[in-house]
Structure formats: structure tokens, C-alpha cells
Amino acid sequence: QVRLVESGGGSVQSGGSLRLSCVASGFTYRTYCMGWFRQVPGKEREGLLALDSDGKTSAADSVKGRFTISQDKAKNTLYLQMNNLKPEDTAMYYCAAHQNGGSWWCLKGGEGNLGVWGQGTLVTVSS
């Protein structure tokens, strides 16, 4: 059973940086997609960045040039590097994974069918 655990959230001032980590256990997918999402209470969940096992990545326009996604396969860890943070980036951040699926499909939430989600880590950006 795949389990995802996010960490690295916290409070930061506008213009600052954070790196979120998502450690996957029980991850045996040979083909997969993984992504980072965020959600603010009362708003829809937003896909930020995703990658797939073919090495392709997809990004939302809202974070292009500021956020990057990467993975360390040896550590079974997915990262989200966030630079030049803004108050509107304040949200709960989640990682998700799915067996099969391309990066774009993952970024769009897998049509509501992404298989595994982490519990989330809170990011607060103050002005």
C-alpha cells in the first residue's frame, strides 16, 4: 500500500522560499505520475506541478517561473521548491500519486481519480 507524507511547510514572509518534501513508502509503481496540489478553505483544489515516469513535467501558469518539481528516486521523495512566495500562495499543500497517467492528466487531478494523497502540509506567507 502506497503512503505519502508531506513535510516542509511553515510560515515565511513574502518573497521567501520553502521546499516541500513528499516521502513515498510502499511505492512500487513502474509507470506513474505524481503531483503537487494546494487548497484554500472554500476554494477548489488547484494542481500546481506534476511529473511522470517518462520524465515529463507539467505546470500551472500560476506557478511557472517560481515553483519547480523534482524527485529523488533513491529516496522515494518528491520535492516542491517554492521561490518568491506571495501571500496568495498561503494554502494547504498536498502531494498525490497514481499508477500510470501522464503529467498533464495528473496536474488536472486525474479526473478526480488520483489514487493516493498525502495528509498535507500548511504554508503561510505573510506580507
Side-chain angles (χ1 to χ4, degrees):
Q1 182 177 357
V2 177
R3 182 168 177 250
L4 304 176
V5 179
E6 302 97 333
S7 63
S11 297
V12 64
Q13 288 191 328
S14 182
S17 298
L18 282 175
R19 188 177 78 159
L20 306 184
S21 299
C22 172
V23 178
S25 59
F27 197 90
T28 59
Y29 303 156
R30 295 181 66 180
T31 57
Y32 59 87
C33 67
M34 296 185 75
W36 286 99
F37 301 80
R38 68 186 178 189
Q39 189 166 23
V40 175
K43 294 188 177 181
E44 289 189 1
R45 185 174 56 211
E46 176 187 12
L48 303 175
L49 288 150
L51 56 75
D52 61 38
S53 50
D54 289 334
K56 296 179 182 177
T57 60
S58 297
D61 288 341
S62 60
V63 299
K64 283 181 179 177
R66 297 192 302 127
F67 293 7
T68 56
I69 189 172
S70 62
Q71 64 177 356
D72 184 332
K73 293 181 180 180
K75 295 182 179 179
N76 284 334
T77 302
L78 185 74
Y79 299 102
L80 178 66
Q81 177 67 44
M82 305 186 293
N83 299 325
N84 190 23
L85 283 161
K86 305 174 181 180
E88 53 264 41
D89 294 318
T90 295
M92 187 70 80
Y93 285 71
Y94 300 90
C95 66
H98 194 82
Q99 188 172 12
N100 302 319
S103 63
W104 182 252
W105 180 84
C106 221
L107 182 69
K108 295 304 178 183
E111 300 174 347
N113 292 319
L114 291 182
V116 186
W117 290 85
Q119 84 290 347
T121 186
L122 181 64
V123 172
T124 303
V125 184
S126 58
S127 57

